[in-house]
Amino acid sequence: MRETDGLRAAGPASQQGMRRANLALVLGVIARTPRSRAEVAAETGLTRAAVSSLAEELIAAGLVVEEGPAAPSGKVGRPGTALALDPGGPAGLGAEIGVEHLGACVVDLRGEVRSWRRQEIRNRGRQPAAVMADLAELLRRAAAEAGLRPAGLALAVPGPVGADGALLRRAANLGWRDVGVAAELRPALRAAGAADLAGLPVRADNEANLGGLAELWLGGGPQHFLHVSAEAGIGAAIVVDGRLLRGARGCAGELGHVPVRPDGPRCACGAHGCLEQYAGESAVLRAAGLEGVRGDWVALLAERAGAGDEEVRAALGGAGSALGTAVAGAVNLLDPAEVVLGGGYARLAPWLLPAMRGELAARVTVRPWSDERLTVSRLGRRGPLLGAAVGVVRSVLADPGRPADP
């Protein structure tokens, strides 16, 4: 029995709640691939009359369109009309605040990117209001370019976020603590002439979490994995049985602040010898003799390492060794099916992987380590922003009958 069948059958439910569940059931089938009404009825167990009624409601809501004849089923008779997700329907709006950049994107119901914008800008030490003003303008332009109606806004941020998705607890690399991101962003959107966006539901999440979720939804990998990523700092997403493990206070995955050498240098978090002191942006640039260089550090290191710069390659090898040490501890604790390198690490993987593999082979004890279990994300640095926008779309598909937020 399907999980959604249980929703329809379990316990007393209001007529409205039952219809919402059935709308989600029908939309979920159509989202996988275009189907005729008869095919949807056969797959869901609903009557054809019920499916037709629900389909009309989804069409009226701008979620579904009729695409023409359905694919031949092999049955006698004329094929029905195929129902598909409406590419002009509600969209997901994603935003990202990085230490060295801002990002915005719009994804339609089919998961296709309709607008993508990235602005290189140094946000370290800037006040939240100033950063939000720049982000609001980027979001306004992205939404205008896509020409779709966003259903919500999700924001990727470089630090742990409260359970309600409203409070950024701490972003050491930005110098922020206890920032209400939605409260800061709404007035900035109004000031940017995007009052329609200011009225959207806004939710923030840690960038590493959203990168891991994007890997789960779009990467085609396993249901149990550890996703390790880096921009200025280092984060990890822990996915267990297809679900993100957030921890009791939403702070799970702070891999960058796992001590790899307890007697090492003091970290911005206040502890000593954290992984970020050996494999974070500043540490690698310093080891490569490039301390103080501005701009895209990942692109710079990849270019120089690819050109044979031995100092850069040695710095990346040292970072890979520290990463391998920290990740080995996580593997011994969590036993994931895979470890996925994402974010900036995906581009630097050719020079990180050899040392990482050596440390993992020497330190993983839960079962013999295989190099095939250490993989590289094809999403790379696009992961957090894609995860933000796609997450909004998935919430629409999961509950299409939900009343609009006030």
Side-chain angles (χ1 to χ4, degrees):
M1 184 174 71
R2 289 179 293 269
E3 185 177 349
T4 43
D5 288 336
L7 280 175
R8 292 190 293 110
S14 67
Q15 187 174 358
Q16 181 183 10
M18 187 78 75
R19 189 165 186 83
R20 281 176 63 183
N22 287 338
L23 281 168
L25 179 63
V26 169
L27 189 59
V29 170
I30 295 169
R32 289 195 291 275
T33 186
R35 298 278 209 284
S36 69
R37 288 168 172 79
E39 289 171 327
V40 173
E43 188 161 341
T44 61
L46 297 170
T47 66
R48 291 195 184 190
V51 168
S52 292
S53 174
L54 293 164
E56 292 307 314
E57 189 170 339
L58 292 169
I59 291 170
L63 297 168
V64 168
V65 291
E66 295 182 312
E67 280 200 331
S73 62
K75 295 181 180 179
V76 177
R78 215 168 115 189
T81 301
L83 300 171
L85 294 178
D86 187 348
L93 180 58
E96 183 177 12
I97 297 175
V99 176
E100 303 284 349
H101 74 279
L102 297 172
C105 80
V106 178
V107 172
D108 67 22
L109 283 178
R110 300 185 184 193
E112 296 178 6
V113 175
R114 304 289 288 271
S115 177
W116 185 279
R117 288 178 175 263
R118 180 181 170 107
Q119 179 182 355
E120 302 300 327
I121 183 170
R122 191 170 177 83
N123 294 316
R124 192 189 304 270
R126 296 180 73 202
Q127 291 299 309
V131 174
M132 295 299 182
D134 289 333
L135 181 62
E137 179 60 23
L138 205 64
L139 285 165
R140 184 190 67 76
R141 292 179 183 176
E145 181 180 47
L148 299 176
R149 175 173 55 88
L153 169 58
L155 176 59
V157 293
V161 177
D164 61 356
L167 184 69
L168 172 57
R169 297 179 184 275
R170 174 178 49 83
N173 289 309
L174 288 175
W176 293 3
R177 183 178 289 274
D178 295 333
V179 175
V181 286
E184 291 277 359
L185 184 55
R186 290 188 196 281
L189 287 166
R190 294 189 187 97
D196 55 332
L197 302 183
L200 293 174
V202 178
R203 185 175 181 86
D205 203 347
N206 176 263
E207 62 180 356
N209 284 344
L210 289 170
L213 287 171
E215 194 68 29
L216 175 67
W217 298 331
L218 308 173
Q223 298 290 294
H224 301 263
F225 64 92
L226 178 70
H227 183 269
V228 181
S229 60
E231 282 299 330
I234 302 168
I238 305 162
V239 176
V240 179
D241 197 22
R243 295 177 179 271
L244 182 68
L245 179 64
R246 294 184 176 275
R249 296 181 298 165
C251 298
E254 285 291 293
L255 188 69
H257 298 291
V258 169
V260 291
R261 292 167 194 162
D263 57 348
R266 188 177 179 86
C267 180
C269 72
H272 287 265
C274 294
L275 176 61
E276 282 191 9
Q277 297 304 301
Y278 301 94
E281 174 192 3
S282 297
V284 180
L285 289 174
R286 183 170 58 250
L290 299 170
E291 189 172 14
V293 171
R294 299 291 180 89
D296 188 338
W297 69 282
V298 171
L300 173 64
L301 291 172
E303 179 182 353
R304 295 213 177 184
D309 188 318
E310 290 302 326
E311 192 172 10
V312 170
R313 289 187 172 192
L316 290 171
S321 178
L323 271 169
T325 300
V327 169
V331 170
N332 283 331
L333 181 66
L334 301 168
D335 188 26
E338 284 186 14
V339 174
V340 183
L341 281 187
Y345 284 154
R347 187 167 180 186
L348 299 174
W351 305 282
L352 296 171
L353 288 176
M356 287 191 70
R357 287 173 177 146
E359 294 291 347
L360 286 161
R363 297 175 182 275
V364 172
T365 59
V366 290
R367 62 180 177 181
W369 177 257
S370 167
D371 286 349
E372 287 72 31
R373 293 174 60 198
L374 179 58
T375 64
V376 180
S377 170
R378 63 181 179 83
L379 303 177
R381 301 173 88 179
R382 293 167 63 87
L385 195 47
L386 283 173
V390 170
V392 174
V393 167
R394 287 176 62 87
S395 70
V396 173
L397 298 178
D399 193 0
R402 184 182 181 210
D405 285 82

